[in-house]
C-alpha cells in the first residue's frame, strides 16, 4: 500500500482508538470524580454502585445510587436503577430530546419540622449558584418516561405524623415543553387498599386540558393532625372515594364531573 494511503488510515485508526478509549473511560472517571468531590458539588455523601455511559448512542445507566443526609450515614434518596437514552445531536440545535428514561426502586425520605425540610440545604446550595438565563429558546422533549416500584416516606416531626406513599408509578408517554403538550399518569398506594390515580393531558399549547383524578379508600385519619391546628377535632374516621373528570379550555371555568 502506498504511503499516501497509509498515513490517513493510521490517523483514522488512532482517532477511532482515542474515541473508543474516551467512551469506555468516561464512566469510571466520572464515577470516581463524583464520589471524590461529592461534598464539594452537592454538600452530601454520594455512593454510586455502577455507572455506564455510551457517548456514541447517548445511553446512560446508573445502578444502586444513594445520596445521604447531612450526617453522611442516613439515606435521603436512593434508587436501584436509572436508564436513559438521549439524542446528543439535538444539543447542537438547542434542543434536548430524551427518547426514554426509566427509574426503578426509588426511595425518598422526607422530613419536615415547621418550615424546615431535610432537603433545604440542597435547595439553598443550588439556588445560591444559579444565575438568570433565558431558556425559552431551548426545547425539551421527554418520551417514554417511567417511574416504577418507588416509595416516599414522609415524616412531620412537629406533629408526629407520618405516612408512606408505596408502589409509586409515574408514566409520561410524551411531554413537549416547546409547545406545551403533555400526557402524564401518576399512581401510588397509601395502604393495601388505598390508591390514587391521576391522568393529566395538555394540548394545543396548553389551551386545552383533560384531568382525571381517582381516590379509592383513602383514610381521612391522615389529615387529622393538620385539621386539629385549626379546628377542635376529637376523632376523624372514614374513607374517601372520588372519581373526578375535568376538561375544556384553560381560559374558561372548569367543566368537571364528580362521581
Amino acid at each position: 500500500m502506498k504511503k499516501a494511503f497509509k498515513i490517513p488510515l493510521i490517523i483514522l485508526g488512532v482517532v477511532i482508538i482515542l474515541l473508543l478509549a474516551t467512551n469506555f473511560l468516561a464512566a469510571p472517571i466520572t464515577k470516581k470524580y463524583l464520589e471524590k468531590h461529592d461534598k464539594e458539588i452537592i454538600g452530601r455523601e454520594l455512593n454510586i454502585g455502577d455507572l455506564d455511559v455510551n457517548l456514541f448512542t447517548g445511553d446512560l445507566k446508573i445502578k444502586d445510587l444513594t445520596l445521604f443526609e447531612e450526617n453522611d450515614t442516613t439515606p435521603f434518596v436512593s434508587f436501584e436503577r436509572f436508564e436513559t437514552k438521549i439524542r446528543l445531536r439535538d444539543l447542537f440545535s438547542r434542543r434536548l430530546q430524551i427518547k426514554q428514561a426509566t427509574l426503578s426502586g426509588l426511595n425518598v425520605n422526607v422530613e419536615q419540622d415547621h418550615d424546615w425540610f431535610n432537603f433545604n440545604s440542597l435547595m439553598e446550595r443550588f439556588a445560591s449558584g444559579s444565575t438568570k438565563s433565558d431558556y425559552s429558546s431551548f426545547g425539551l422533549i421527554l418520551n417514554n418516561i417511567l417511574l416504577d416500584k418507588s416509595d416516599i416516606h414522609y415524616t412531620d416531626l412537629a406533629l408526629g405524623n407520618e405516612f408512606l406513599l408505596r408502589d409509586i408509578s409515574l408514566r409520561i408517554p410524551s411531554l413537549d415543553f416547546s409547545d406545551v403538550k403533555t400526557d402524564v399518569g401518576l399512581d401510588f398506594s397509601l395502604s393495601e387498599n388505598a390508591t390514587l390515580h391521576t391522568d393529566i393531558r395538555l394540548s394545543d399549547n396548553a389551551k386545552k386540558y383533560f384531568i382525571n383524578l381517582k381516590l379509592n379508600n383513602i383514610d381521612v385519619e391522615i389529615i387529622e393532625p393538620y385539621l386539629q391546628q385549626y379546628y377542635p377535632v376529637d376523632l376523624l374516621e372514614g374513607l374517601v372515594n372520588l372519581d373526578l373528570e375535568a376538561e375544556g379550555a384553560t381560559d374558561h371555568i372548569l367543566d368537571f364531573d364528580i362521581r
Side-chain angles (χ1 to χ4, degrees):
M1 185 180 294
K2 295 183 178 180
K3 185 176 181 180
F5 291 100
K6 287 183 178 180
I7 295 177
L9 288 176
I10 293 174
I11 295 176
L12 179 61
V14 171
V15 170
I16 292 175
I17 292 174
L18 288 175
L19 288 174
L20 290 174
T22 301
N23 184 63
F24 288 115
L25 292 175
I29 291 176
T30 302
K31 177 179 179 295
K32 185 176 181 179
Y33 180 85
L34 289 175
E35 291 184 332
K36 183 178 181 180
H37 299 277
D38 47 7
K39 301 295 289 268
E40 301 173 29
I41 300 172
I42 55 180
R44 298 195 181 190
E45 188 73 21
L46 176 70
N47 287 345
I48 302 175
D50 187 42
L51 176 64
D52 186 18
V53 180
N54 191 316
L55 301 178
F56 302 120
T57 62
D59 290 342
L60 170 65
K61 298 179 182 179
I62 305 175
K63 292 182 180 179
D64 299 325
L65 180 145
T66 302
L67 177 64
F68 292 88
E69 298 276 11
E70 292 180 310
N71 59 17
D72 295 339
T73 57
T74 305
F76 168 56
V77 174
S78 64
F79 60 78
E80 296 176 0
R81 180 173 62 93
F82 173 74
E83 296 183 6
T84 188
K85 177 186 285 288
I86 65 175
R87 290 172 47 171
L88 296 175
R89 65 177 182 272
D90 291 338
L91 296 176
F92 296 100
S93 58
R94 290 188 59 80
R95 61 192 297 246
L96 176 62
Q97 183 169 167
I98 297 179
K99 299 174 68 175
Q100 66 88 17
T102 300
L103 178 61
S104 62
L106 173 68
N107 282 278
V108 183
N109 179 50
V110 178
E111 294 183 355
Q112 179 184 2
D113 190 352
H114 299 290
D115 295 333
W116 174 87
F117 288 88
N118 60 336
F119 51 79
N120 280 1
S121 61
L122 293 173
M123 300 290 290
E124 293 170 359
R125 172 176 287 269
F126 289 105
S128 62
S130 62
T131 56
K132 293 184 178 179
S133 302
D134 182 14
Y135 297 99
S136 58
S137 60
F138 192 92
L140 176 60
I141 302 174
L142 308 179
N143 294 302
N144 302 315
I145 308 302
L146 175 64
L147 173 66
D148 190 32
K149 298 178 180 178
S150 301
D151 301 330
I152 297 179
H153 182 238
Y154 169 80
T155 304
D156 191 323
L157 300 173
L159 297 178
N161 187 41
E162 62 179 311
F163 55 84
L164 175 65
L165 306 183
R166 300 187 302 109
D167 303 324
I168 299 174
S169 174
L170 173 66
R171 302 177 306 282
I172 306 179
S174 63
L175 182 56
D176 189 343
F177 288 92
S178 59
D179 60 0
V180 196
K181 292 192 302 184
T182 182
D183 184 359
V184 178
L186 171 65
D187 295 275
F188 63 80
S189 300
L190 280 168
S191 62
E192 185 176 352
N193 298 316
T195 60
L196 178 143
H197 164 79
T198 62
D199 184 10
I200 303 173
R201 303 173 201 168
L202 291 175
S203 59
D204 195 15
N205 201 26
K207 294 179 180 178
K208 296 180 181 179
Y209 68 87
F210 171 81
I211 300 173
N212 178 223
L213 172 65
K214 293 182 180 179
L215 302 176
N216 293 314
N217 300 319
I218 304 297
D219 195 335
V220 296
E221 186 180 358
I222 64 174
I223 66 172
E224 182 177 343
Y226 303 98
L227 285 177
Q228 287 177 341
Q229 296 182 83
Y230 307 99
Y231 303 100
V233 178
D234 295 327
L235 180 64
L236 190 63
E237 294 180 337
L239 300 175
V240 175
N241 291 276
L242 175 68
D243 189 349
L244 181 146
E245 285 189 0
E247 62 181 333
T250 54
D251 57 352
H252 288 76
I253 299 175
L254 288 175
D255 178 18
F256 59 86
D257 177 32
I258 299 178
R259 295 187 291 275

